[in-house]
Amino acid sequence: MKRTAYFISDGTGITAETLGNSLLAQFEAIEFERITLPYIDSIEKAEKAVAKINLAAESSGAPAIVFDTIVDKKIRTIIDSANALKVDIFAAFLAPLEAELKVESSYSVGKSHSSTTSTSYLARIDAVNFALDNDDGARTRQYAEADIILVGVSRSGKTPTCLYLAMQFGIKAANYPLTEEDMADLKVPASLQQHRHKLFGLTIDPDRLAAIRNERRANSRYASLKQCYHEIDEVEMLYQREQIPFLSTTDRSIEEISTRIMAETGLQRRLQS
């Protein structure tokens, strides 16, 4: 089965995408073509969006599914005329909250994404810059500022995890790639000793690691299966010997890796810089 799903918003569409995709993920037997239509903030844009939705329904022979966070009532009326199953995210969640809190919502466009001066936004930008500046282990002088330092062999997922932690949680995450020299004596590198309480290790299945490295340096010693098995064996022994908490990134998304790290370390989302 295949269906078309639209995420429509008069803002960025991030909220509609996030909640909509979470719901669609529960239906594994169906293939969804996902289309995001952000900034539908005028009558003309809404009418064009409806034309697209109706065309998709006609082509597929089944109504489209629309997740929306439209605030403007006139635009909403137009979107509601589309040949689609409509999931009004704001109505589904705000109405019961209004009833419980006995206060009407502001129904503001882009409320959760618009502020560029809030402490949480500035903290996330600061954390992203920190992650970029401390990405390769070459500079360790800022590690005192780090909330966490991810360690692991090359291509085990450290960089994307650091950036996700920064963007989503405002966490200042540095990463230090462990080399053969670092693991030779199964000790934490000297430059990390004073920060060992901040260390968190990543590991990965050697076969998966070899596949990833071959995309970067095909047929090299670096990407060989023998080398990958050796490095993973050594790094996991290091984690166990030095009592460094760690997890495997093999079958986990960056979102899950990051959330598990937050849970296991007790780190909290930074709300201010």
Side-chain angles (χ1 to χ4, degrees):
M1 297 178 63
K2 184 174 183 178
R3 298 289 292 271
T4 304
Y6 284 87
F7 308 105
I8 302 178
S9 176
D10 35 20
T12 62
I14 293 173
T15 301
E17 280 185 340
T18 301
L19 292 175
N21 278 317
S22 294
L23 293 171
L24 295 181
Q26 307 305 314
F27 302 92
E28 297 179 358
I30 301 176
E31 179 184 353
F32 293 99
E33 179 183 2
R34 294 169 168 85
I35 300 171
T36 301
L37 301 177
Y39 302 111
I40 304 300
D41 52 8
S42 69
I43 299 297
E44 181 182 4
K45 290 180 181 179
E47 290 173 343
K48 289 182 179 179
V50 168
K52 290 181 181 179
I53 294 167
N54 289 342
L55 181 60
E58 183 180 345
S59 300
S60 65
I65 300 170
V66 171
F67 298 92
D68 81 82
T69 54
I70 298 292
V71 171
D72 187 283
K73 291 182 179 179
K74 292 181 180 179
I75 295 175
R76 168 169 301 290
T77 299
I78 295 173
I79 297 297
D80 284 345
S81 69
N83 180 16
L85 168 66
K86 289 167 283 294
V87 181
D88 179 352
I89 292 174
F90 277 174
F93 294 103
L94 288 181
L97 281 172
E98 287 176 336
E100 173 63 26
L101 300 174
K102 297 179 175 57
V103 175
E104 288 191 1
S105 162
S106 63
Y107 279 86
S108 300
V109 177
K111 192 70 174 179
S112 62
H113 307 292
S114 61
S115 176
T116 59
T117 58
S118 68
T119 53
S120 59
Y121 178 84
L122 294 175
R124 284 188 286 126
I125 295 301
D126 189 34
V128 169
N129 288 330
F130 183 87
L132 293 173
D133 287 342
N134 295 274
D135 181 49
D136 57 6
R139 296 173 297 279
T140 60
R141 64 182 180 277
Q142 293 181 315
Y143 280 11
E145 298 178 37
D147 297 306
I148 191 169
I149 302 168
L150 299 186
V151 294
V153 301
S154 172
R155 314 306 287 181
S156 57
K158 300 183 301 301
T159 296
T161 302
C162 283
L163 288 172
Y164 190 88
L165 286 168
M167 290 187 288
Q168 295 297 319
F169 302 109
I171 296 298
K172 289 186 175 181
N175 90 66
Y176 187 100
L178 294 171
T179 65
E180 287 185 273
E181 291 73 20
D182 292 323
M183 295 180 285
D185 56 2
L186 291 183
K187 290 183 179 179
V188 172
S191 58
L192 298 179
Q193 284 290 349
Q194 63 179 317
H195 307 294
R196 58 183 302 121
H197 60 290
K198 298 180 180 181
L199 302 184
F200 194 98
L202 299 183
T203 186
I204 187 171
D205 177 76
D207 294 272
R208 175 63 179 152
L209 180 61
I212 294 172
R213 287 183 173 184
N214 266 297
E215 293 177 1
R216 188 179 186 187
R217 297 185 199 168
N219 303 315
S220 64
R221 176 177 177 273
Y222 166 79
S224 70
L225 199 56
K226 180 180 179 181
Q227 179 65 17
C228 291
Y229 266 91
H230 171 70
E231 289 186 28
I232 294 302
D233 285 343
E234 291 291 305
V235 80
E236 290 186 359
M237 281 194 288
L238 173 63
Y239 295 155
Q240 292 165 3
R241 175 172 174 172
E242 296 291 327
Q243 298 184 322
I244 298 171
F246 69 97
L247 61 78
S248 173
T249 63
T250 306
D251 297 313
R252 294 188 170 106
S253 65
I254 295 301
E255 294 87 345
E256 183 180 358
I257 295 166
S258 301
T259 305
R260 284 182 177 272
I261 289 173
M262 294 288 288
E264 291 188 26
T265 61
L267 287 172
Q268 298 294 313
R269 184 189 301 268
R270 178 174 278 108
L271 297 179
Q272 59 185 13
S273 56

